[in-house]
Amino acid sequence: MKSKIKNSFHLIAPFLIVLIGSLDFYSCTDKSITPFLTVDPQTVLFNASKSQKSISIKSHPENWTETISPVAEWITTQKEENSLIIQVEANTGFQSRKGEIIISAGELTEKVEIEQLGEAKEILLSDEIFTLSSDGNEIRLQVVANIDYEIIIPEEHESWVEWISSRDTIDELTREHLFQIGWNTSQEERRGEIIFKETEGELEKKAIIIQKAQEGYSGGNQDHIKDDILVKVDRGYASSAQQGEGIEKSFDGDMSTLYHSSWNNSGADYFPITLEYYFEDEASIDYFIYYPRLSGNNGNFKEVEIWTATHDNPEPEKLLDYDFQGSSSPTRVVLPESLQNPSLIRFVIRSGAGDGQGFASCAEMEFYRFNPDNFDPLAIFTDMTCSELQSGIGMKEIEEIANPFYRNIAFHMYQGTYPEEFRIQEYQAWPHPDEWAQINKTSTLSLLDNPTGMSFSKGEEVVVFVGETTYPISLKVQDLGVYDGDGYNNASQYPLSPGVNKLKMRNKGLGYIFYHTPDHENAPPVVIHFASGKVNGYYDSQKHQPEDWTRLLENAVDPFFDVVGAHAHLTFPTEDYRTYTGDKGPELIEMYDDLVFLEKDFMGLIKYDRPTINRAYFHAMYHSFMYATAYRTAYNVSGEGVKRTVMDPQTLRRDCWGPAHEMGHTFQTRPGFRWHGMTEVTNNVHSLYVQTQWGNPSRIETEPMGRYNNRYEKAYHNSFVKNIPHPGEEDVFCKLVSLWQLQLYFSNTGVYEDFYKDFYEKVRTSSDRSTPGEQQLEFVRMVCDLTELDLTDFFTKWGYLSPFDESLDDYGSTRFQITRHQIDQLLDEIRAKSYPKPEEKIEYICDSNWEIFRDRSSVILGSAEIKDNRITMKDWQNVVAYEVYEDDHLIFVSNQDSFTLEEPSNAQTEVFAIGYDGSRTKVEF
């Protein structure tokens, strides 16, 4: 049986437009913008008379064209900037007629269908099939008809298809109708129809409604969360401002400009600095967002007093104190109570980040009031995180929720089908990595210790529910997919506050929660619920089981995937994990954890209970090769070689030098163990340690260099034969040899196992010297004092105690000066302490002979032969080096049994086998 809507319509109307939402497009000069073409509407209906209508066209590229196809002389067009005017001649024929227009922009095309009534009775619908999601929605359609008609909704569809209203248009034959399509709670698709039937006849047309079944939670309908209302600033005042960077720059709507206090901050009365924002004819203010400058941190707010006044009570009153902690993250501050009829909000800035006593700066200060039209989630959920239904909530209450967004969440929670993993999580507080870097005199570890596992699209509106927190938190969305560069800063950041947060993504990428506070040990975890966005997931070895790896990686939808361990955090391409890591993800993160832990342990951070807390961040980039910089190390995964190195556990174990080297940069302790000229040297003590701890041969022992068997030989030649001062050595691996020998002699042999651990702690706890030369001499002093040995002969041999005065280029040129006077003073100081000299010839210890030093094994003689300039030893044992002399002048040193000299001269050549204790045995040929 069919039921009829009581209203009948005379000559009611043709043009059916279904607009289930509106699309906003923004002009952009960025050549990298994704091409698009939108045409609205795509079906245009006309009555039989001569008339015209306009359609909207927006595109990138902007130069679009139109073509009438097939050729229809009754259709003409006129192009305007963002629209196309379509004109039709009168249709004097009996039947209706159709045509189409093709719109083209670059390689994109869209088709516009044109239909016009004739003399015959007709009902035209602009579309006869509508497909909707399970949430339902309104559909708005137009009908053109030259007869009276009525709307009929079959009785079996009345429960979910409802006529709402109808209205006339300018065209007397056109009428617009609004229908509401209800919510489909079933897991089966359903179909309905709306019938437009001639009132006194048999002619009818049908609009078919296809509504999808429930297919699991997708996080749609964000448009049902109303945006909060931006409150306009009328004017501002600043007690201190740099010319051209006045307070008006903080409310000009442009993030690239900023307010900045005077650059001259030397005055004792520089702080406090007062910023005032004035308002006229505004109902209320509920919160504000402070956006720090986009780059740098000079002026980022720290301690601030917030004062307010209203038009009813014009005398300002202090509202609260707030510590922004110098953070570079945007901060949203909700006022304790809504400020009604506001006239003033004053910020009294008592401290800010920067050199000297600091500054004050602000990219934008935005003020908002809550949108009163939003649904109150506390009517259904236990708290504002919307992560749990109230007791007693059933389908009846859920069906009555008018807001589809909340209704969808509640429905899936009730059904037990809500995907809580990753969407709803607790996030812990972390110390800011700058804190431990300053204490430990290192570079900084990661800011991204709270991955969300959520992926977002550019332009997407994202709803985030946040639990109670008294600390500033924010969301960073990062897209590493800059395929000719580094995507770490291809990111945007959004302040979060307790309750509902609606954000519009300025870029695509993965999300990370910033929750950094000095009180991280006592700060409670905060519950955050990402009700929209796509779940990408991540693997965390601290909470997932190894068997979860395959499931999580297979379900990842973003181009990048996070893998988290106890000490390390990786973000590499998802497909590359699938290709190069396979099912060995748990093994991979365990290896990175071990790499980072080994370096921490090597430098005494574990022994001295100096936990770095934050993880080390390893991520993909697409330029350069590998590098370390603030908060991260980066790896160019454009080629297969690096992909295998960083993502295949077997390859990483064999070829760990790169990641260990970059991690060593992060942990370089400065300036005491990274003075000028040592940037690419002291980090490699870490590389060698990891390399050998993982069972690999030492790079300086096995890597040949021209005629030299290895780096030891080259280093011996440069320092012992050519007498190059240590600062003047250009080969960073030769400069490394003496540092590694200290590890071999003290730690490997057991003479002083914690040597480097204690040395690093001494550097961390000692005052820094001011020049590179003084820092190098301080290194000698520290090692002697720490070991209580007079090692001046060792350091003299290696050129640490040689006068030097040159400019060195080490990521910038600096004068490096050590004078004879400084050297003599240090030698006198060490002699005065009466430290014993070591009994061993430790400048000859190396990876292949350190056990001889440990066991104090004596030299056992063998034979030797010389052919041309190649010397080969046979059956010699316990020799730590061979010294070659010409006329009593040292010309070559080797730690190998076979080595090559330069072209032999006419001078007398002698070779001596050197024992661990410096004993010399002449080699007979």
Side-chain angles (χ1 to χ4, degrees):
M1 177 179 181
K2 296 181 179 179
S3 66
K4 297 183 180 180
I5 294 177
K6 294 182 179 178
N7 304 60
S8 295
F9 304 100
H10 174 64
L11 298 180
I12 310 236
F15 185 70
L16 171 83
I17 300 179
V18 181
L19 293 177
I20 305 179
S22 62
L23 297 176
D24 294 327
F25 295 93
Y26 303 92
S27 63
C28 182
T29 57
D30 183 358
K31 294 181 180 180
S32 66
I33 190 170
T34 303
F36 66 88
L37 173 62
T38 61
V39 179
D40 183 25
Q42 290 184 268
T43 301
V44 186
L45 306 180
F46 292 91
N47 61 36
S49 62
K50 179 178 181 178
S51 57
Q52 68 178 36
K53 292 183 179 181
S54 176
I55 62 174
S56 170
I57 300 175
K58 296 178 182 178
S59 69
H60 182 82
E62 296 179 354
N63 295 325
W64 51 269
T65 60
E66 80 280 6
T67 304
I68 301 173
S69 175
V71 176
E73 295 181 354
W74 55 281
I75 302 174
T76 57
T77 58
Q78 181 179 337
K79 182 178 179 181
E80 295 189 350
E81 183 177 358
N82 289 317
S83 64
L84 182 69
I85 298 173
I86 302 171
Q87 301 169 323
V88 295
E89 297 297 325
N91 184 7
T92 57
F94 186 72
Q95 300 294 335
S96 62
R97 57 186 179 182
K98 295 182 179 181
E100 66 181 35
I101 301 171
I102 304 300
I103 309 296
S104 301
E107 297 181 357
L108 302 176
T109 60
E110 292 286 353
K111 182 171 67 173
V112 181
E113 294 183 348
I114 310 299
E115 191 167 5
Q116 185 181 22
L117 289 174
E119 295 295 329
K121 295 190 299 183
E122 186 64 272
I123 299 173
L124 301 181
L125 308 181
S126 60
D127 202 334
E128 297 180 1
I129 299 178
F130 303 100
T131 302
L132 287 82
S133 72
S134 60
D135 294 330
N137 213 326
E138 292 179 346
I139 60 172
R140 191 179 303 274
L141 49 92
Q142 290 183 350
V143 179
V144 171
N146 51 15
I147 57 173
D148 294 343
Y149 66 89
E150 58 188 354
I151 298 175
I152 301 173
I153 297 175
E155 185 176 14
E156 60 269 26
H157 303 150
E158 281 186 327
S159 62
W160 59 281
V161 180
E162 178 185 4
W163 171 78
I164 301 298
S165 63
S166 300
R167 70 177 184 88
D168 295 328
T169 67
I170 297 175
D171 179 354
E172 64 179 6
L173 300 185
T174 303
R175 193 167 180 84
E176 185 176 85
H177 306 282
L178 180 66
F179 297 86
Q180 177 68 52
I181 307 303
W183 181 34
N184 185 9
T185 62
S186 170
Q187 295 185 356
E188 295 183 359
E189 180 181 277
R190 62 185 179 185
R191 293 175 176 245
E193 59 185 24
I194 303 170
I195 302 169
F196 299 85
K197 184 180 182 302
E198 181 183 7
T199 303
E200 299 294 337
E202 298 301 321
L203 179 64
E204 68 178 29
K205 285 288 183 71
K206 294 180 180 180
I208 304 301
I209 311 298
I210 302 173
Q211 189 174 27
K212 295 181 178 180
Q214 288 287 340
E215 296 179 349
Y217 183 80
S218 62
N221 286 321
Q222 295 92 325
D223 53 323
H224 290 280
I225 305 292
K226 305 298 183 182
D227 292 326
D228 289 335
I229 300 162
L230 180 66
V231 176
K232 181 182 177 182
V233 177
D234 184 68
R235 65 191 188 281
Y237 161 80
S239 64
S240 170
Q242 181 63 27
Q243 185 175 2
E245 296 181 336
I247 192 171
E248 69 279 359
K249 300 294 185 182
S250 69
F251 56 91
D252 62 357
D254 186 350
M255 289 288 180
S256 66
T257 65
L258 77 153
Y259 156 77
H260 199 290
S261 59
S262 172
W263 292 354
N264 182 357
N265 66 348
S266 59
D269 59 349
Y270 188 75
F271 282 106
I273 293 170
T274 299
L275 304 183
E276 294 182 341
Y277 297 89
Y278 293 90
F279 310 92
E280 296 291 341
D281 302 322
E282 294 290 348
S284 61
I285 293 175
D286 293 303
Y287 65 90
F288 66 85
I289 301 176
Y290 164 60
Y291 291 93
R293 59 191 302 162
L294 294 179
S295 61
N297 67 350
N298 267 357
N300 289 354
F301 290 3
K302 291 184 176 178
E303 296 169 306
V304 176
E305 295 177 8
I306 300 170
W307 295 63
T308 61
T310 68
H311 289 288
D312 301 322
N313 296 292
E315 187 64 29
E317 296 180 355
K318 183 177 176 181
L319 183 67
L320 56 93
D321 293 302
Y322 198 92
D323 187 357
F324 292 85
Q325 302 178 7
S327 172
S328 297
S329 302
T331 302
R332 174 175 166 176
V333 179
V334 179
L335 305 184
E337 293 182 359
S338 180
L339 184 66
Q340 300 296 313
N341 197 16
S343 63
L344 166 72
I345 292 186
R346 173 188 295 164
F347 298 85
V348 180
I349 303 160
R350 297 205 164 275
S351 58
D355 296 334
Q357 58 183 313
F359 303 90
S361 66
C362 175
E364 285 291 303
M365 191 74 77
E366 293 180 342
F367 303 87
Y368 289 89
R369 63 174 167 270
F370 295 129
N371 194 315
D373 295 333
N374 274 324
F375 174 78
D376 180 8
L378 294 179
I380 291 291
F381 300 98
T382 57
D383 60 33
M384 288 300 292
T385 67
C386 301
S387 55
E388 185 179 356
L389 292 173
Q390 291 181 15
S391 175
I393 296 296
M395 278 303 298
K396 177 178 180 296
E397 290 77 16
I398 292 172
E399 289 176 353
E400 292 174 353
I401 299 174
N403 187 305
F405 188 83
Y406 290 101
R407 185 182 64 200
N408 199 23
I409 297 172
F411 171 77
H412 285 283
M413 285 186 175
Y414 180 79
Q415 296 287 351
T417 57
Y418 191 79
E420 294 186 4
E421 186 181 26
F422 301 112
R423 285 198 180 276
I424 303 174
Q425 296 188 88
E426 278 192 344
Y427 295 89
Q428 73 177 73
W430 293 82
H432 196 284
D434 288 359
E435 296 175 27
W436 280 105
Q438 183 176 7
I439 293 170
N440 293 333
K441 298 184 180 181
T442 66
S443 185
T444 45
L445 292 172
S446 178
L447 287 164
L448 306 182
D449 285 309
N450 276 322
T452 66
M454 298 301 299
S455 174
F456 307 104
S457 302
K458 183 178 180 179
E460 179 182 6
E461 290 189 326
V462 174
V463 176
V464 186
F465 302 109
V466 179
E468 289 299 324
T469 176
T470 56
Y471 297 91
I473 61 173
S474 61
L475 169 69
K476 177 184 179 181
V477 176
Q478 166 187 284
D479 177 19
L480 293 178
V482 177
Y483 296 108
D484 58 354
D486 185 334
Y488 181 82
N489 291 316
N490 183 33
S492 52
Q493 205 153 343
Y494 311 87
L496 299 175
S497 63
V500 185
N501 298 258
K502 186 178 181 184
L503 318 169
K504 188 165 186 177
M505 296 294 102
R506 299 191 291 275
N507 60 273
K508 67 183 180 71
L510 294 175
Y512 304 86
I513 294 298
F514 276 39
Y515 183 11
H516 299 110
T517 171
D519 191 29
H520 66 279
E521 292 178 319
N522 299 316
V526 58
V527 176
I528 300 179
H529 176 184
F530 287 92
S532 47
K534 293 180 179 178
V535 173
N536 189 59
Y538 57 81
Y539 177 80
D540 183 347
S541 65
Q542 304 305 290
K543 71 176 184 180
H544 294 121
Q545 299 302 313
E547 53 267 26
D548 291 324
W549 167 263
T550 301
R551 169 183 67 86
L552 293 169
L553 185 61
E554 285 180 351
N555 291 337
V557 297
D558 193 88
F560 296 90
F561 186 71
D562 288 305
V563 182
V564 178
H567 301 282
H569 172 189
L570 321 177
T571 309
F572 291 124
T574 306
E575 283 303 317
D576 290 341
Y577 282 118
R578 292 167 179 161
T579 301
Y580 298 99
T581 309
D583 60 357
K584 294 181 173 59
E587 180 182 345
L588 181 70
I589 190 59
E590 183 179 349
M591 290 184 65
Y592 275 98
D593 273 350
D594 190 47
L595 185 154
V596 177
F597 179 82
L598 283 172
E599 297 201 18
K600 289 182 182 180
D601 186 48
F602 176 78
M603 59 192 296
L605 294 175
I606 308 302
K607 176 178 178 178
Y608 287 97
D609 193 24
R610 289 177 173 270
T612 50
I613 311 296
N614 307 90
R615 301 182 184 94
Y617 186 44
F618 302 77
H619 72 83
M621 53 81 182
Y622 297 88
H623 72 139
S624 190
F625 179 56
M626 300 178 184
Y627 52 79
T629 187
Y631 311 117
R632 62 212 173 88
T633 64
Y635 304 85
N636 188 338
V637 295
S638 300
E640 182 174 350
V642 174
K643 289 178 182 179
R644 286 199 180 278
T645 296
V646 299
M647 281 179 276
D648 174 16
Q650 286 185 318
T651 306
L652 176 63
R653 184 169 296 279
R654 293 192 310 267
D655 190 16
C656 59
W657 186 272
H661 170 96
E662 303 306 342
M663 200 67 248
H665 274 307
T666 297
F667 284 134
Q668 275 179 308
T669 306
R670 56 212 68 191
F673 203 40
R674 200 209 69 177
W675 58 88
H676 191 79
M678 301 293 278
T679 303
E680 294 295 341
V681 179
T682 55
N683 61 318
N684 282 334
V685 183
H686 291 251
S687 310
L688 280 169
Y689 185 69
V690 173
Q691 185 178 58
T692 54
Q693 286 293 305
W694 280 5
N696 299 296
S698 162
R699 180 174 180 177
I700 57 176
E701 180 78 68
T702 60
E703 192 168 79
M705 291 295 299
R707 72 184 182 94
Y708 302 108
N709 284 304
N710 52 44
R711 299 284 185 172
Y712 284 103
E713 275 191 2
K714 183 179 179 182
Y716 293 155
H717 193 76
N718 288 357
S719 292
F720 302 168
V721 178
K722 298 170 70 175
N723 295 315
I724 297 175
H726 193 267
E729 173 61 74
E730 295 181 353
D731 187 322
V732 295
F733 291 98
C734 290
K735 293 177 86 167
L736 170 67
V737 166
S738 58
L739 303 178
W740 186 241
Q741 286 180 321
L742 295 174
Q743 167 69 12
L744 296 174
Y745 176 69
F746 289 110
S747 298
N748 282 37
T749 65
V751 172
Y752 185 169
E753 290 185 358
D754 284 357
F755 165 71
Y756 264 120
K757 296 177 184 179
D758 294 349
F759 166 73
Y760 273 101
E761 182 67 7
K762 193 171 182 66
V763 173
R764 289 189 287 262
T765 56
S766 300
S767 299
D768 298 329
R769 302 291 177 161
S770 58
T771 69
E774 292 172 333
Q775 290 155 7
Q776 179 171 294
L777 293 176
E778 179 67 9
F779 168 71
V780 174
R781 178 184 289 109
M782 280 188 176
V783 173
C784 292
D785 288 343
L786 194 63
T787 61
E788 296 185 347
L789 287 174
D790 182 347
L791 297 170
T792 54
D793 291 345
F794 172 81
F795 286 116
T796 298
K797 290 278 284 185
W798 283 113
Y800 288 83
L801 301 178
S802 300
F804 190 82
D805 190 355
E806 293 182 22
S807 290
L808 291 184
D809 186 8
D810 184 23
Y811 297 94
S813 184
T814 295
R815 183 183 182 186
F816 195 116
Q817 183 183 43
I818 295 178
T819 67
R820 182 76 259 171
H821 177 68
Q822 288 175 307
I823 295 167
D824 290 341
Q825 278 189 320
L826 178 59
L827 289 172
D828 290 343
E829 176 188 332
I830 293 173
R831 288 192 196 103
K833 295 175 181 177
S834 300
Y835 294 146
K837 290 182 180 289
E839 297 177 358
E840 299 85 357
K841 192 81 169 173
I842 62 176
E843 63 265 30
Y844 284 152
I845 196 169
C846 63
D847 297 271
S848 58
N849 69 27
W850 64 265
E851 291 164 317
I852 297 173
F853 286 80
R854 181 194 64 191
D855 300 336
R856 305 177 70 82
S857 303
S858 299
V859 171
I860 298 176
L861 278 62
S863 61
E865 64 179 23
I866 183 169
K867 185 177 182 180
D868 296 327
N869 57 342
R870 184 74 178 171
I871 295 177
T872 303
M873 306 296 175
K874 294 183 179 179
D875 301 325
W876 288 81
Q877 296 180 41
N878 305 326
V879 177
V880 298
Y882 295 96
E883 294 179 347
V884 183
Y885 290 84
E886 284 187 356
D887 293 339
D888 297 326
H889 294 292
L890 183 68
I891 65 164
F892 196 77
V893 179
S894 177
N895 64 347
Q896 300 294 305
D897 287 331
S898 182
F899 49 88
T900 302
L901 304 179
E902 293 180 328
E903 290 297 322
S905 67
N906 294 325
Q908 182 180 359
T909 300
E910 293 182 304
V911 180
F912 292 89
I914 311 301
Y916 77 91
D917 56 357
S919 60
R920 302 167 78 241
T921 303
K922 187 175 180 179
V923 176
E924 302 291 345
F925 294 93

